[in-house]
């Protein structure tokens, strides 16, 4: 089968090639991939030294062509969204049925492919934050897929959201969702009950200073790749007794399949609107990865697999 393979070279992160078609285990379904999306975590790994034999691809949508042998999960012929641990940038992927959800009518593969990692992260971030009704939320690095999902869901839950983006263009959709958009952290009008920080470097300390006393900073990324340095005594300048929590979207007891089903249900009910900032044929993956790394894509980048 055709697949995108990591090269380990900075100038060409992936190349089209051939790989063996996966043979599903008893608790896995075989999915014919129609579309997949890119994420920054995979970009970072590709820019490093890829492990031999490890193929990227965590966010896919397509058609089940072989249901799981143990009878679990979606049946042959059902359309699904999936979040495999790897191997999704290919014509076929074997996916555990605990990482699959059936797509309702009206949710296409392109829309669904934009959901898994970014949508799961947003959903679980909001659960970590707890009830946000009537509370203020600051979101840094807000113009990616996670930021759009967090903003729309948090506003719908009654939060007052301030989103930090680099440019007005990157913040336009966030403003439509109901966020107050600023382009410098210094322009955010705190203090905030909750801060969701994903930039790193100076942004983390700056965001911490905008917390209310006993507020919480949820640290879920470091897109700048710059380490953050926090000064304990800065807590006394305002956010007394504030908490800093590290977040990883997979460190949870929640079911991946159930959360994917919740996300596609919200889309089907017109309550969640994935922002696909780049849609292209999968032969354009290398260029899309470069543009993602240079922040030239707002929302999600989705690639489709043609004939």
């Amino acid at each position: 089968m055709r697949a995108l393979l990591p090269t380990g070279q900075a100038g060409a992160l992936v190349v089209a090639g051939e790989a063996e078609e996966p043979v599903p285990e008893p608790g896995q379904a075989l999915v014919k991939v129609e579309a997949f999306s890119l994420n920054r975590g995979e970009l970072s790994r590709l820019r490093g030294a890829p492990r031999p034999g490890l193929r990227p691809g965590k966010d896919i949508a397509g058609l089940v062509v072989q249901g799981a042998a143990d009878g679990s999960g979606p049946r042959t012929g059902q359309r699904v969204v999936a979040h495999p641990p790897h191997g999704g940038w290919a014509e076929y992927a074997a996916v555990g049925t605990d990482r699959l959800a059936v797509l309702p009518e009206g949710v296409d593969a392109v829309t669904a492919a934009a959901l898994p990692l970014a949508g799961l992260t947003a959903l679980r971030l909001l659960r970590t934050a707890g009830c946000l009704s009537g509370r203020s939320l600051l979101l840094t690095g807000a113009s990616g897929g996670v930021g759009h999902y967090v903003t729309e869901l948090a506003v719908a839950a009654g939060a007052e959201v301030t989103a930090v983006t680099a440019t007005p263009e990157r913040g336009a959709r966030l403003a439509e969702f109901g966020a107050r958009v600023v382009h410098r952290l210094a322009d955010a009008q705190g203090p905030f009950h909750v801060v969701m920080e994903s930039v790193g470097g100076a942004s983390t300390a700056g965001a911490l200073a905008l917390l209310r006393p006993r507020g919480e900073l949820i640290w879920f990324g470091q897109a700048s790749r710059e380490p953050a340095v926090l000064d304990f005594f800065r807590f006394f300048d305002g956010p007394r007794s504030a908490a800093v929590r590290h977040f990883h979207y997979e460190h949870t007891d929640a079911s991946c399949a159930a959360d994917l089903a919740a996300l596609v249900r919200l889309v089907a009910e017109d309550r969640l609107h994935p922002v696909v900032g780049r849609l292209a044929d999968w032969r354009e993956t290398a260029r899309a990865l470069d543009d993602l790394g240079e922040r030239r894509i707002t929302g999600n980048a989705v690639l489709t697999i043609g004939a």
Side-chain angles (χ1 to χ4, degrees), residues 204-222:
T204 305
L208 177 66
L210 292 170
L211 272 178
R212 297 167 59 97
R214 295 178 299 281
E216 183 174 48
L217 185 147
I218 303 173
W219 195 349
F220 72 100
Q222 194 163 297

Side-chain angles (χ1 to χ4, degrees), residues 75-274:
R75 302 183 302 277
T76 300
Q78 290 188 302
R79 299 166 55 252
V80 294
V81 60
H83 188 52
H86 51 77
W89 297 359
E91 290 185 290
Y92 295 92
V95 187
T97 56
D98 59 342
R99 304 178 73 90
L100 288 166
V102 175
L103 292 181
E105 291 295 328
V107 179
D108 58 62
V110 168
T111 301
L115 285 171
L117 190 143
L120 291 170
T121 300
L123 194 65
R124 292 168 177 179
L125 271 169
L126 292 168
R127 287 186 188 142
T128 299
C131 178
L132 288 172
S133 179
R135 305 181 79 201
S136 55
L137 167 66
L138 174 66
L139 179 65
T140 66
S143 61
V146 174
H148 282 85
Y149 292 135
V150 165
T151 298
E152 185 171 18
L153 292 173
V155 169
E160 298 176 3
V161 178
T162 297
V164 185
T165 69
T167 65
E169 293 75 20
R170 293 178 68 82
R173 188 63 168 151
L174 299 168
E176 292 177 9
F177 287 150
R180 179 176 185 268
V181 179
V182 299
H183 310 301
R184 299 187 311 154
L185 189 60
D187 294 331
Q189 296 178 4
F192 295 93
H193 292 95
V194 178
V195 170
M196 294 183 181
E197 155 65 359
S198 65
V199 176
S203 174
T204 305
L208 177 66
L210 292 170
L211 272 178
R212 297 167 59 97
R214 295 178 299 281
E216 183 174 48
L217 185 147
I218 303 173
W219 195 349
F220 72 100
Q222 194 163 297
S224 68
R225 315 306 297 173
E226 297 176 3
V229 178
L230 301 180
D231 181 350
F232 172 81
F233 294 100
R234 291 292 300 277
F235 281 89
F236 300 138
D237 293 337
R240 294 186 179 184
S241 299
V244 176
R245 177 183 295 193
H246 174 259
F247 171 90
H248 190 288
Y249 84 107
E250 286 190 322
H251 293 173
T252 175
D253 293 330
S255 162
C256 184
D259 282 351
L260 286 173
L263 290 167
V264 295
R265 176 178 57 80
L266 290 170
V267 173
E269 294 173 355
D270 201 31
R271 296 165 59 193
L272 185 65
H273 303 86

Side-chain angles (χ1 to χ4, degrees), residues 5-15 43-50 285-287 289-291 293-294 296:
L5 309 175
T7 66
Q9 301 174 6
L13 296 176
V14 293
V15 64
L43 175 60
S44 297
R45 283 189 289 274
L46 287 169
R47 283 176 167 172
T285 299
R287 180 182 301 175
L289 284 167
D290 183 58
D291 288 342
E294 296 302 319
R296 292 191 285 262

